[in-house]
Amino acid sequence: MSLDTRVPAVPGTVLPAVPARRPPRPATAVVVAAPVSLSIALGLWGIRRQDTLWGDEVVTRQFAHRDLSQIWQTVQHVDLVHALYYVVMHGVFGLFGGGLLPLRLPSVLAMSVAAGGVGLLALRLAGPRAGLLAGLVFAVLPQVQKYAQEGRSYAMVCALVTWATYALVVGVARRGRWRWVVYGSLMLTACLLHEFAVLALVAHGVTLAASRVPRPVLRAWSAAAAGVLAGLSPLVVFSARQAEQVSWIGGPVRMRYFLVVAALGLACALVPLGTRGPVRLTALAVPILVLPGLLLLLATPVKPLFVDRYVLYANIGAALLLGAWTDRFLRRSTRTACVAVVAVLAALVPPSLALRTPGSRSNDATAIGAAVRAAGRPGDGLLYLSGQYRFLTSADPDDTRFLTDLALARDAVSSHTLAGVELPARRIAARMLAFDRIVVVHATSARSLTAPQERAKTSTLRRHFRAAGTVRVSGAHVTVHVRHR
């Protein structure tokens, strides 16, 4: 069955203007089902990642295992921006348990829903074959594969932004207040899962301005956007008090992928893509690909905020442009296009394999905990540099069960925090001197050790202990310190 339903024009003839027809249902079904199936298959492939967790996933699991009242009390101090996601995962864990699969499967399913939405978007804007190609391209993009297997909110945000974008396109073409209600609801939910989804709202506004839509459409979108901003504003106000949580961002994080994908997408946009309609494919795809990341980069001199996963939904624009460009190229030279597609897929194999290894994340909490267990002896002391990274050894409580946390005053759950509350500096130093061996977990991402507790730890180690051995694992150094004799 051919997916290209367009009728070629005969040279020298003029085709009469006819209203746009909906693609046949079998074509639509293929455009949705193929990307969804591929995304699920890629998501399930190596989903356990050798039974390892990285730090952010440990945080998700820690929060989701608390009851709703504890989650509410904790997010008043830390991670308010992820509160809705933790509530969702609390429900998932309540139904299916708290293992690796329940942790990551929601992201797999969300990304497959996003892939189907990308296919439908391209189908509407450029035809069935472009829709199929765009959905498949989206599923195989490395960043999409990565966050489809991660127990965090980014895949869900991407899915919601995708379908909000589809609702936007439908709302422009077909008048109806309920479509804008759907659009606003999807965008608001995406923003409540992660605040930076609001940057997609900016991209949508630019798209409508570039498309010169009628004023009633612009008013309807403005009302929906105002509702989104009003619903998001309380979260923005209260989460601003927790701004120190992103103090670890010293500059753009993993910007290279964004720049490469943006460059590829913009190169595709240099040629005419898609079909004529109220919203052109390039007018939709380019803003959502470029604007969210660009706005975060422009904020860098004032406050570094760019992290690749914060604008994961930019891949929607990249997939639309790459899929439509490939469709255009296929019509010109099928053999060359097929060779190019095979070459690209072959080039994606190494990064796809690497994404399914523990080293693909910025730290390996499972390996850190195992190193602590191997280095320590029952009765040894345990220290964290800095204390805010205590959660890095929480993947398996047995890793630290027989060690004494020398700085901890109240644990994370009872103190409604992420890493617990530490003792005053003098108490920490006094407790350290009562031990002959201390296992120290030094997080490689710990930028500053200037707090009084951290200075007490480092100065006491320097004066009274010597390093007897260090194990380097992804995200931390685990060192055994022995008391001077």
Side-chain angles (χ1 to χ4, degrees):
M1 178 190 66
S2 173
L3 290 173
D4 199 340
T5 61
R6 288 168 291 194
V7 179
V10 178
T13 64
V14 177
L15 293 176
V18 294
R21 293 182 299 173
R22 291 184 181 180
R25 287 184 178 179
T28 302
V30 172
V31 166
V32 175
V36 168
S37 300
L38 178 60
S39 184
I40 290 176
L42 291 174
L44 295 178
W45 169 35
I47 188 173
R48 300 190 70 89
R49 218 161 49 241
Q50 300 178 25
D51 292 327
T52 60
L53 291 164
W54 83 286
D56 280 13
E57 290 181 309
V58 171
V59 172
T60 296
R61 197 164 71 170
Q62 187 183 114
F63 264 95
H65 275 119
R66 302 182 187 187
D67 61 42
L68 292 178
S69 64
Q70 290 174 327
I71 292 175
W72 170 244
Q73 289 175 309
T74 305
V75 297
Q76 294 180 58
H77 303 97
V78 65
D79 256 6
L80 180 62
V81 293
H82 297 297
L84 178 58
Y85 175 68
Y86 294 145
V87 170
V88 171
M89 292 307 297
H90 173 81
V92 171
F93 281 13
L95 291 173
F96 304 106
L100 275 177
L101 290 181
L103 175 68
R104 292 176 180 155
L105 274 177
S107 293
V108 174
L109 297 176
M111 204 63 90
S112 68
V113 169
V118 170
L120 276 181
L121 267 174
L123 179 148
R124 191 174 188 90
L125 300 174
R129 187 166 61 185
L132 176 63
L133 291 168
L136 295 176
V137 166
F138 179 83
V140 301
L141 288 173
Q143 196 180 46
V144 170
Q145 291 190 60
K146 178 178 181 179
Y147 291 104
Q149 294 188 327
E150 196 153 292
R152 297 297 280 174
S153 65
Y154 308 109
M156 294 182 185
V157 172
C158 191
L160 289 163
V161 171
T162 300
W163 284 94
T165 305
Y166 184 78
L168 174 82
V169 173
V170 172
V172 170
R174 302 178 190 172
R175 305 296 170 83
R177 187 174 298 176
W178 69 269
R179 292 187 175 90
W180 293 106
V181 173
V182 171
Y183 169 79
S185 300
L186 290 170
M187 278 304 306
L188 178 58
T189 307
C191 293
L192 293 176
L193 281 170
H194 197 279
E195 289 176 345
F196 287 159
V198 76
L199 300 176
L201 197 68
V202 178
H204 291 160
V206 172
T207 292
L208 295 181
S211 302
R212 298 181 180 178
V213 297
R215 287 187 178 180
V217 171
L218 200 56
R219 284 198 296 267
W221 175 82
S222 299
V228 172
L229 295 176
L232 179 63
S233 57
L235 177 62
V236 173
V237 170
F238 289 106
S239 66
R241 302 173 184 176
Q242 300 175 3
E244 71 279 358
Q245 278 193 257
V246 292
S247 61
W248 62 271
I249 307 176
V253 178
R254 290 182 293 275
M255 186 174 65
R256 183 182 302 175
Y257 176 91
F258 170 76
L259 294 178
V260 170
V261 172
L264 284 173
L266 291 175
C268 293
L270 294 176
V271 298
L273 298 174
T275 57
R276 293 189 180 277
V279 177
R280 300 295 298 271
L281 185 140
T282 51
L284 177 74
V286 171
I288 203 166
L289 169 63
V290 175
L291 267 181
L294 180 61
L295 291 172
L296 290 183
L297 287 173
L298 290 175
T300 298
V302 179
K303 177 70 175 177
L305 291 172
F306 183 92
V307 181
D308 62 342
R309 58 184 178 267
Y310 293 172
V311 289
L312 177 64
Y313 51 84
N315 288 281
I316 299 167
L320 291 173
L321 292 166
L322 290 168
W325 182 89
T326 306
D327 174 39
R328 189 174 188 272
F329 201 75
L330 276 170
R331 283 183 271 130
R332 292 191 172 191
S333 176
T334 302
R335 180 178 299 178
T336 305
C338 290
V339 171
V341 169
V342 170
V344 170
L345 291 176
L348 286 174
V349 170
S352 296
L353 291 171
L355 285 172
R356 289 156 177 85
T357 64
S360 62
R361 271 57 178 179
S362 57
N363 59 60
D364 184 349
T366 304
I368 294 170
V372 169
R373 177 187 285 195
R377 301 173 184 172
D380 284 353
L382 177 63
L383 279 180
Y384 296 88
L385 296 174
S386 69
Q388 64 178 317
Y389 292 98
R390 184 172 277 104
F391 64 88
L392 286 177
T393 59
S394 300
D396 184 352
D398 286 338
D399 290 334
T400 58
R401 186 181 302 277
F402 300 107
L403 305 180
T404 302
D405 192 331
L406 300 179
L408 188 64
R410 295 176 64 197
D411 64 70
V413 175
S414 65
S415 62
H416 305 300
T417 62
L418 178 60
V421 175
E422 296 203 329
L423 295 164
R426 290 184 180 181
R427 290 279 308 278
I428 294 173
R431 293 193 72 188
M432 289 173 64
L433 294 177
F435 284 76
D436 291 328
R437 281 171 47 97
I438 298 176
V439 179
V440 178
V441 180
H442 190 164
T444 54
S445 53
R447 295 185 176 274
S448 176
L449 298 175
T450 58
Q453 288 94 333
E454 308 306 330
R455 290 202 305 269
K457 297 172 192 175
T458 54
S459 63
T460 305
L461 288 172
R462 185 175 57 253
R463 294 175 183 176
H464 301 282
F465 293 81
R466 61 178 177 83
T470 298
V471 176
R472 299 177 185 273
V473 291
S474 178
H477 303 159
V478 178
T479 304
V480 176
H481 289 261
V482 179
R483 184 75 178 272
H484 287 309
R485 294 295 183 185

